[in-house]
Amino acid sequence: MIIEVSDPADPRLADYVGLRDSQLRRREDRFIAEGLKIIERSFAAGCRPRSLLLQPRWLDGVLPLLDGQGDVPIYVGTEQMIEEVSGFHVHRGALGAFERPVETSWEDLLAMRRLIVCEETVDHANLGAIIRVGAALGWDGLIVSPGSADPLYRRAIKASMGASLEFPWRRMASDADLERLSAAGFTVVASTISPGAVTLDGYEAPERVALLLGTEGDGLSSGWLEAADVHVTIPMTNRVDSLNVATAAAILAHALRDS
């Protein structure tokens, strides 16, 4: 159902209002896909569409995706109108609102072999990049702390190139959920620059690994470091004191990947 819209205050566009607002970043019932490629991947992942908001030039590419999806509203407007509604420059003028998929169960996650666990990783682009790394290097799933960014926020989805729509993940209820990992037989490996940590090139990964990554800036908290079985560090020159968390994730995930 194609519907032309011109009023940014149209109540039918409520899903798309204020997408830069930090209070709206973690929506319990839906997520926003930005750009035609991410919209395509949302459909491919089996996500249920609520509506689409597009410039007219994207209609030919979107209509085939809606076969068998029922009567999904397709709101069509100008680039300026779409940006007024969303509050930001929309990449190529295409947005989709989708029902939010259910998080992966603890039972399924704890049956896996390689998990990435993020403590207070608050930058959505970093988290999306970590998910993309995990998916590319054969890791099985992701666990995020209560205060971490939302893997299904539009910027995280975009940075993951849509991988967060299919990569198994869930959010911890509290830091106490860390205990589940050791109880399930994972070796908990903490990434740190602390003195005394084992260098990555001298560490042989065990059969099941839960890799802990910390917040931007401060890294892992003392409580999370204490919960780890092993502390590992990436050998570096003294020209920098640390690596971006997504860069560190790529190096660690490659070195500790399941053989």
Side-chain angles (χ1 to χ4, degrees), residues 55-76:
Q55 292 183 44
R57 60 188 174 127
W58 297 116
L59 281 173
D60 288 345
V62 160
L63 289 175
L65 302 175
L66 295 172
D67 288 345
Q69 296 289 341
D71 198 9
V72 178
I74 305 174
Y75 301 112
V76 178

Side-chain angles (χ1 to χ4, degrees), residues 5-15 17 81-82 84-86:
V5 287
S6 57
D7 182 5
D10 191 320
R12 295 173 295 182
L13 305 180
D15 278 353
V17 172
M81 191 278 298
I82 293 172
E84 285 185 44
V85 172
S86 65

Side-chain angles (χ1 to χ4, degrees), residues 188-250:
V188 181
V189 178
S191 170
T192 177
I193 58 173
S194 300
V198 177
T199 59
L200 183 59
D201 51 8
Y203 180 69
E204 185 174 346
E207 182 179 352
R208 303 180 76 213
V209 173
L211 172 63
L212 306 188
L213 300 172
T215 187
E216 296 86 352
D218 293 332
L220 291 165
S221 66
S222 59
W224 278 51
L225 287 170
E226 290 173 9
D229 300 305
V230 183
H231 294 177
V232 298
T233 190
I234 300 168
M236 294 184 292
T237 71
N238 60 5
R239 295 177 182 175
V240 296
D241 58 3
S242 65
L243 293 171
N244 168 271
V245 65
T247 301

Side-chain angles (χ1 to χ4, degrees), residues 29-33 38-52 65-69 72 96-102 152 157 162-167 169:
D29 62 343
R30 61 197 184 278
F31 70 88
I32 299 295
I38 302 300
I39 290 172
E40 289 174 340
R41 292 185 178 179
S42 298
F43 279 104
C47 300
R48 181 180 175 186
R50 294 164 61 98
S51 66
L52 301 171
L65 302 175
L66 295 172
D67 288 345
Q69 296 289 341
V72 178
F98 290 82
E99 300 288 347
R100 190 181 182 91
V102 176
L152 293 184
I157 297 172
S164 60
L165 300 170
E166 299 188 83
F167 198 63
W169 74 274

Side-chain angles (χ1 to χ4, degrees), residues 68 77 105 164 187 189 257:
S105 71
S164 60
T187 297
V189 178
R257 68 194 184 280

Side-chain angles (χ1 to χ4, degrees), residues 62-141:
V62 160
L63 289 175
L65 302 175
L66 295 172
D67 288 345
Q69 296 289 341
D71 198 9
V72 178
I74 305 174
Y75 301 112
V76 178
T78 64
E79 179 180 9
Q80 180 179 353
M81 191 278 298
I82 293 172
E83 292 184 6
E84 285 185 44
V85 172
S86 65
F88 71 101
H89 174 68
V90 178
H91 179 62
R92 298 188 177 182
L95 295 171
F98 290 82
E99 300 288 347
R100 190 181 182 91
V102 176
E103 294 178 15
T104 306
S105 71
W106 277 113
E107 180 181 12
D108 287 345
L109 284 170
L110 296 178
M112 296 174 179
R113 291 168 58 91
R114 289 290 188 277
L115 295 175
I116 296 173
V117 190
C118 292
E119 182 189 19
E120 307 300 282
T121 303
V122 296
D123 184 274
H124 291 91
N126 277 338
L127 189 62
I130 290 169
I131 293 169
R132 187 174 180 181
V133 162
L137 297 179
W139 285 62
D140 300 314

